[in-house]
Amino acid sequence: MKQSIDKLCKILKLEIERGFDNKAVVGGLDRILDTWEMEARLDEVPEEAIKAVSTRLQDYAGLSIASRAEALQGIWRRVQAEGVSEPFPTPTPFPDPESPPPVHGEVRKGTPLKRVEAEPVTSKASKPAEKPAPAPAPESKEPELEPAALNAPVTVLHNVGPKNAQNLGRLGLFTLRDMLYYFPRRYNDYSSLKAINRLSYGEEVTVIGTVQSVSKRTVRNGQRQIVEAVVSDGTGAMRITWFNQPWQAKRLRNGMQISLAGKVDQYLGRTVLNNPAFEEIDQQQLSTNRIVSVYPLTAQVTNRWLQRQMHQVVTHWAPRVPDPLPENLRRSANLVDLPTALIQIHFPDSQEQLKDARHRLAFDEVFLLQLGVLSQKYDWQEKSGRIFTSDQQDITALQNQLPFKLTSAQQRAVQEIRADLESGHPMNRLLQGDVGSGKTVVAAIAIAIVTGAGAQAALMAPTSILAEQHYRNLLKILASHPNQAESGVLQPSQIRLMIGATPESDKSAIREGLADGSIKLVIGTHALLEDPVAFQDLQLAIIDEQHRFGVQQRLILRSKGTNPHLLVMTATPIPRSLALTVYGDLDLTVMDELPAGRQPVGTYVLTPRERERAYQLIDRQIRDGRQAFIIYPLVEESEKSEALSAVEEHARLQREVFSQHKLGLLHGRLSPDDKEAAMRRFHQQQDQILVSTSVIEVGVDVPNATVMLIEGANHFGLAQLHQFRGRVGRGGDKSYCLLVPDSADQAENERLQVMAQTNDGFVLAEKDLEQRGPGEFLGTRQSGYTTELQLANLTDVHLIEKARHHAQALFKQDPDLALPEHQLLKAALQRFWDSHANDVS
């Protein structure tokens, strides 16, 4: 039996069982006609049979019970010619009004789950409901529950057996809920197709045409392959080109009808499409005149087959999903309801309704993220923390010992941290400052306040070199020295360094000193997290370059004290939108001012042909006693990339270009000991040039380095390039950052030119977020947050501020989501955060 006929019979049988109450389908039986007619035509049901069904169901709502029974009996007789062997079911009396009929698809406790057969309801979700809106529910009413069947496996679906379920599993689709929230990656808009002769440059379009020719050729000595096709639609023809996608030639054949989606470009004055997405279509798809969803696919799963399965799930279950957002919030935020959004994102009726659906679902993602971080912040603020008061005279005396004056940004940061330490609640602050803005000095003052009161502090850095750097700086700032007129806050013996290379005898002594309280400050790496390390009274935990540490590592360090104050630091400027969302649980201090005397690093974009000029500059700087970094995107040469690599270039440079100088080599495949040794040789000026990959990015201070040459600069994000640039110019001498992309064309790239135009890390951070997404900034947070965001764009500050406003208002009203009307929201929040650790700072 054809699937559309089988589905129709199931609906008719349910309607008969219900006593012809016109509720077998939400909104009435006539609501199935649009989608059912389309399915029936795809199943090649005769047109006269389709018309017979449509005619009888169009007026079904206005018929009497007896007439409804007669109409359904007529439909049944007509579809028996299409292979239905069952006789017309015997109607059963309508149940007593005191016992309303069960909702179709409801799964009762103890009842075996039956296969779900989709009940095709219209995707025209914008059509007003026929029944009046229900009266406001009394407070004692049980909240509506989400259908338990959403957790059912996909095998309950018609035509989805173990083999198809395995294929769906590769897409992450295991349950009906997974499918409901598996959104299309793009859409083919057959409702507003454009003819080829009417295309305009720069438009995002869907074009339908017939393949007239296909060819494949190689260029650049066989390194690149180009597939070209000519497609015509009767109004004109256009050239379609795919670069380095040779497999596309096998998918195309002359005479094939395809839809192409992409951006219109120009070549020699003619419109072209470069690297468009395409798929084969047939006339039946075109005749639907609708917006057709295109899903992410995998082997043995076609878009058309997946659409059918989605239709089963979405049309049946989307209308039954209760909306977790309270109605007053939806009204205030001008959002469509969740069932409408789910239907319209899968089967949109118009571009406008698709836009509304995407906005609602993106809002939900950011809203749940906001509620989560607000909850974390609330929980942390509810804890009690040790109060550390500080006298302004003591702070001033400490500042007067510094060889420089604090910037206004540093002074503001100190005041905010002092207020945190005096609040009676644990500090939970992110100190965000551009490279060289002086975060270490601010951290030192926080350490001085806590250790001056007899408590202990710990600073954890991601590398031994950086930990050693902090140790030297904090000794200068905090420790008493024989030749100083004024004594420091701590004795040198009270400040210790603990890294992997620390001898075991020294580690043992440090552990004893931390346990008995004689050591007040320890600076270290992951070694601080080891089990034997215990503190007598840890009250301040500081984490530098915090995005390099996982949630659990921060939690372990914090757990070594009793609700200690936490200060996390980063040199990566964080865009406002991310600060409002992913870091919304932290109080944020921004240090956007460089100390006096720091010169901006001169940044220049060179073409590969100008590389010799860069070498000459490096040679001059070395002869003047300076040092240089040369960065490469790869460790070793790769067949898949034309980018230069560190290992091969290190050998070539040492042999051919800088034979008079000593070159070091640093990359991620070296052992930790070899990495440390390479950095140490460079730091101690034993090597004049350090050839490195991106592992050099974090925090290393080599004041003598004045040149940063970055090869293959087009492979790096702006935030990363800015970090590289921050490795030079730290000693007061004029410094240079030279960007060399892979080709001359890429030297004109707007992204690289921005680097030459500004040293403002926040400007670059906003640009980087727009162009490359949030991964550059999140580090270990990326997997915990952005993978949950299918639709929300973390560059959309308007959406983020809107969601944050409503989340704060709701949180203020009901922080524990304890009210009955918030129980669905509480469950949705729990699902969203299930995969995240409790401590998100």
Side-chain angles (χ1 to χ4, degrees):
M1 190 190 308
K2 293 170 181 173
Q3 185 175 335
S4 57
I5 297 296
D6 181 48
K7 195 176 292 184
L8 177 65
C9 289
K10 286 181 169 63
I11 293 169
L12 297 185
K13 281 196 281 188
L14 179 61
E15 177 67 10
I16 293 164
E17 288 170 11
R18 295 182 61 92
F20 310 100
D21 67 347
N22 198 24
K23 291 182 180 178
V25 173
V26 176
L29 262 62
D30 62 318
R31 301 288 291 276
I32 73 168
L33 288 177
D34 283 352
T35 51
W36 183 82
E37 286 176 4
M38 178 180 71
E39 286 187 340
R41 290 189 176 98
L42 289 173
D43 280 343
E44 299 181 350
V45 174
E47 194 64 33
E48 58 270 23
I50 296 174
K51 287 181 179 176
V53 173
S54 298
T55 302
R56 287 179 169 88
L57 290 186
Q58 277 171 352
D59 301 321
Y60 186 81
L63 300 177
S64 65
I65 297 294
S67 298
R68 289 178 180 178
E70 195 175 306
L72 296 194
Q73 198 163 11
I75 292 175
W76 198 273
R77 280 197 302 270
R78 183 63 190 79
V79 297
Q80 279 181 321
E82 305 306 320
V84 178
S85 57
E86 294 180 57
F88 184 68
T90 304
T92 54
F94 190 76
D96 183 21
E98 294 296 317
S99 305
V103 176
H104 182 49
E106 180 179 331
V107 178
R108 299 185 183 280
K109 190 172 182 180
T111 305
L113 187 65
K114 297 181 180 178
R115 292 178 70 85
V116 177
E117 302 298 347
E119 193 176 278
V121 298
T122 180
S123 62
K124 295 183 182 294
S126 58
K127 183 175 177 180
E130 295 181 6
K131 58 183 180 181
E139 286 190 16
S140 60
K141 183 181 176 183
E142 285 289 317
E144 190 178 4
L145 296 177
E146 192 175 74
L150 287 183
N151 296 316
V154 294
T155 48
V156 302
L157 293 171
H158 184 71
N159 284 338
V160 177
K163 179 64 176 173
N164 285 332
Q166 186 178 2
N167 294 335
L168 290 174
R170 290 201 298 272
L171 296 171
L173 303 178
F174 301 99
T175 67
L176 301 187
R177 182 197 306 282
D178 293 337
M179 295 188 70
L180 204 57
Y181 286 90
Y182 189 69
F183 302 136
R185 61 186 173 89
R186 63 179 179 85
Y187 301 85
N188 287 332
D189 190 354
Y190 297 135
S191 66
S192 57
L193 294 171
K194 291 201 76 170
I196 287 177
N197 67 350
R198 296 181 60 194
L199 298 180
S200 301
Y201 173 76
E203 284 183 303
E204 290 281 352
V205 295
T206 298
V207 175
I208 299 294
T210 303
V211 178
Q212 292 188 327
S213 66
V214 185
S215 63
K216 185 170 68 172
R217 58 191 173 90
T218 59
V219 295
R220 291 180 64 176
N221 297 324
Q223 293 180 351
R224 303 187 72 181
Q225 291 185 310
I226 295 177
V227 175
E228 290 181 331
V230 175
V231 173
S232 169
D233 69 349
T235 70
M238 70 186 305
R239 186 172 298 278
I240 317 297
T241 305
W242 290 272
F243 299 98
N244 280 336
Q245 299 178 38
W247 61 88
Q248 301 290 20
K250 296 179 181 178
R251 296 180 58 201
L252 295 162
R253 64 181 183 277
N254 289 352
M256 178 190 287
Q257 276 202 314
I258 60 174
S259 70
L260 297 144
K263 191 173 184 179
V264 179
D265 208 339
Q266 281 187 340
Y267 179 70
L268 298 178
R270 295 186 177 185
T271 56
V272 297
L273 285 179
N274 292 326
N275 296 322
F278 81 93
E279 62 180 4
E280 185 175 8
I281 59 169
D282 57 34
Q283 200 56 43
Q284 287 176 322
Q285 281 178 286
L286 289 179
S287 65
T288 62
N289 198 36
R290 294 178 61 85
I291 302 171
V292 177
S293 304
V294 180
Y295 293 92
L297 301 173
T298 187
Q300 299 181 314
V301 176
T302 66
N303 195 64
R304 193 156 180 205
W305 181 85
L306 186 55
Q307 278 180 323
R308 284 179 177 273
Q309 313 320 313
M310 285 295 183
H311 196 267
Q312 287 191 67
V313 176
V314 174
T315 55
H316 183 82
W317 289 110
R320 289 166 169 75
V321 175
D323 199 324
L325 295 188
E327 188 179 347
N328 60 343
L329 190 156
R330 292 201 307 270
R331 263 199 318 270
S332 174
N334 194 26
L335 301 169
V336 299
D337 61 83
L338 183 58
T340 297
L342 289 171
I343 291 172
Q344 290 296 323
I345 198 164
H346 287 283
F347 303 107
D349 289 318
S350 68
Q351 289 289 353
E352 190 62 32
Q353 286 171 288
L354 173 59
K355 180 181 175 184
D356 290 344
R358 291 181 66 88
H359 181 75
R360 162 61 204 264
L361 294 166
F363 176 92
D364 282 4
E365 291 176 346
V366 180
F367 182 74
L368 292 173
L369 182 55
Q370 290 286 331
L371 280 181
V373 295
L374 286 172
S375 176
Q376 297 286 350
K377 189 170 186 176
Y378 174 79
D379 289 345
W380 189 242
Q381 288 176 337
E382 285 297 291
K383 299 179 187 294
S384 296
R386 179 91 58 86
I387 294 175
F388 292 93
T389 57
S390 51
D391 188 279
Q392 182 59 46
Q393 287 184 336
D394 294 336
I395 300 296
T396 302
L398 180 60
Q399 293 177 6
N400 288 340
Q401 293 180 41
L402 298 173
F404 49 81
K405 185 178 179 183
L406 293 189
T407 65
S408 58
Q410 286 174 309
Q411 291 173 349
R412 185 176 67 249
V414 168
Q415 292 307 315
E416 290 175 354
I417 289 171
R418 289 178 65 189
D420 287 342
L421 295 174
E422 294 176 1
S423 69
H425 302 287
M427 173 168 63
N428 200 31
R429 185 167 294 278
L430 172 61
L431 181 60
Q432 172 188 335
D434 212 341
V435 175
S437 59
K439 298 182 295 298
T440 305
V441 173
V442 173
I445 293 173
I447 292 168
I449 294 171
V450 170
T451 57
Q456 293 171 300
L459 189 154
M460 189 164 71
T463 68
S464 296
I465 291 288
L466 191 52
E468 290 179 11
Q469 186 173 296
H470 281 306
Y471 175 65
R472 288 192 299 270
N473 290 336
L474 290 172
L475 268 178
K476 290 177 188 174
I477 297 171
L478 297 173
S480 299
H481 298 283
N483 57 351
Q484 282 185 333
E486 298 182 31
S487 61
V489 176
L490 298 172
Q491 295 301 313
S493 62
Q494 294 178 302
I495 305 174
R496 299 300 296 271
L497 173 69
M498 189 176 185
I499 58 178
T502 303
E504 186 54 42
S505 58
D506 289 351
K507 281 185 179 178
S508 179
I510 293 171
R511 285 194 287 264
E512 288 179 14
L514 292 173
D516 65 23
S518 58
I519 294 176
K520 297 302 181 186
L521 169 63
V522 63
I523 299 108
T525 55
H526 297 77
L528 297 181
L529 305 178
E530 295 171 1
D531 282 340
V533 177
F535 294 79
Q536 183 192 65
D537 187 20
L538 178 64
Q539 287 297 321
L540 175 62
I542 301 174
I543 297 172
D544 192 23
E545 296 299 340
Q546 59 83 35
H547 64 288
R548 293 302 178 100
F549 292 98
V551 167
Q552 289 303 318
Q553 291 167 319
R554 294 194 289 273
L555 181 60
I556 291 170
L557 181 60
R558 180 184 277 176
S559 68
K560 291 179 181 287
T562 304
N563 296 339
H565 296 278
L566 179 70
L567 178 66
V568 294
M569 306 192 296
T570 180
T572 302
I574 298 169
R576 172 173 166 74
S577 57
L578 287 186
L580 288 173
T581 49
V582 178
Y583 295 101
D585 56 312
L586 298 166
D587 295 314
L588 182 64
T589 294
V590 176
M591 290 169 50
D592 51 3
E593 184 181 355
L594 292 180
R598 276 294 296 265
Q599 298 183 52
V601 177
T603 305
Y604 306 91
V605 182
L606 306 179
T607 66
R609 281 184 155 188
E610 296 175 298
R611 187 177 283 118
E612 194 61 38
R613 291 174 56 197
Y615 293 161
Q616 290 171 3
L617 174 63
I618 290 174
D619 187 64
R620 286 198 304 271
Q621 290 289 307
I622 292 174
R623 292 183 188 282
D624 288 341
R626 310 293 176 223
Q627 291 169 278
F629 293 96
I630 303 180
I631 307 296
Y632 292 94
L634 300 178
V635 176
E636 294 175 332
E637 286 184 357
S638 166
E639 292 181 4
K640 298 180 180 179
S641 175
E642 299 170 38
L644 298 175
S645 64
V647 173
E648 284 76 14
E649 286 297 296
H650 170 263
R652 184 186 70 84
L653 292 171
Q654 183 69 83
R655 183 178 64 250
E656 300 175 9
V657 183
F658 299 113
S659 59
Q660 303 299 313
H661 308 304
K662 291 183 179 179
L663 276 67
L665 176 64
L666 178 66
H667 57 75
R669 294 183 191 170
L670 294 176
S671 69
D673 288 345
D674 288 342
K675 287 181 190 175
E676 293 287 334
M679 274 309 308
R680 201 173 306 282
R681 283 196 305 272
F682 188 65
H683 198 271
Q684 294 172 356
Q685 300 184 36
Q686 295 174 27
D687 292 331
Q688 285 78 47
I689 299 173
L690 183 61
V691 176
S692 174
T693 58
S694 59
V695 295
I696 197 63
E697 161 189 357
V698 173
V700 176
D701 189 359
V702 184
N704 195 50
T706 56
V707 183
M708 170 64 69
L709 169 59
I710 304 171
E711 292 277 7
N714 50 293
H715 294 275
F716 299 107
L718 291 176
Q720 203 171 16
L721 290 172
H722 187 58
Q723 288 292 306
F724 293 150
R725 179 167 60 185
R727 299 305 105 223
V728 297
R730 303 171 77 89
D733 296 309
K734 175 63 179 172
S735 297
Y736 308 87
C737 179
L738 310 176
L739 308 175
V740 182
D742 289 341
S743 69
D745 291 344
Q746 288 157 332
E748 301 301 320
N749 187 296
E750 177 195 354
R751 197 165 61 84
L752 296 184
Q753 293 300 327
V754 171
M755 282 289 297
Q757 292 162 9
T758 181
N759 273 268
D760 189 326
F762 290 93
V763 172
L764 296 173
E766 293 289 351
K767 284 275 186 187
D768 221 18
L769 181 61
E770 289 173 16
Q771 295 170 353
R772 291 167 65 96
E776 291 283 318
F777 306 93
L778 302 185
T780 54
R781 287 192 175 213
Q782 184 178 11
S783 61
Y785 293 83
T786 58
T787 54
E788 296 290 339
L789 306 181
Q790 297 187 65
L791 299 174
N793 182 349
L794 290 181
T795 65
D796 188 347
V797 177
H798 176 73
L799 172 68
I800 288 166
E801 290 187 333
K802 175 179 176 179
R804 183 172 178 81
H805 166 75
H806 288 286
Q808 287 175 323
L810 182 75
F811 198 79
K812 187 175 181 181
Q813 173 198 0
D814 183 15
D816 296 320
L817 298 181
L819 296 175
E821 60 267 32
H822 295 156
Q823 293 313 292
L824 280 170
L825 180 57
K826 188 173 185 177
L829 183 65
Q830 183 64 46
R831 277 195 306 272
F832 184 85
W833 284 85
D834 260 350
S835 59
H836 308 323
N838 291 328
D839 178 11
V840 300
S841 56

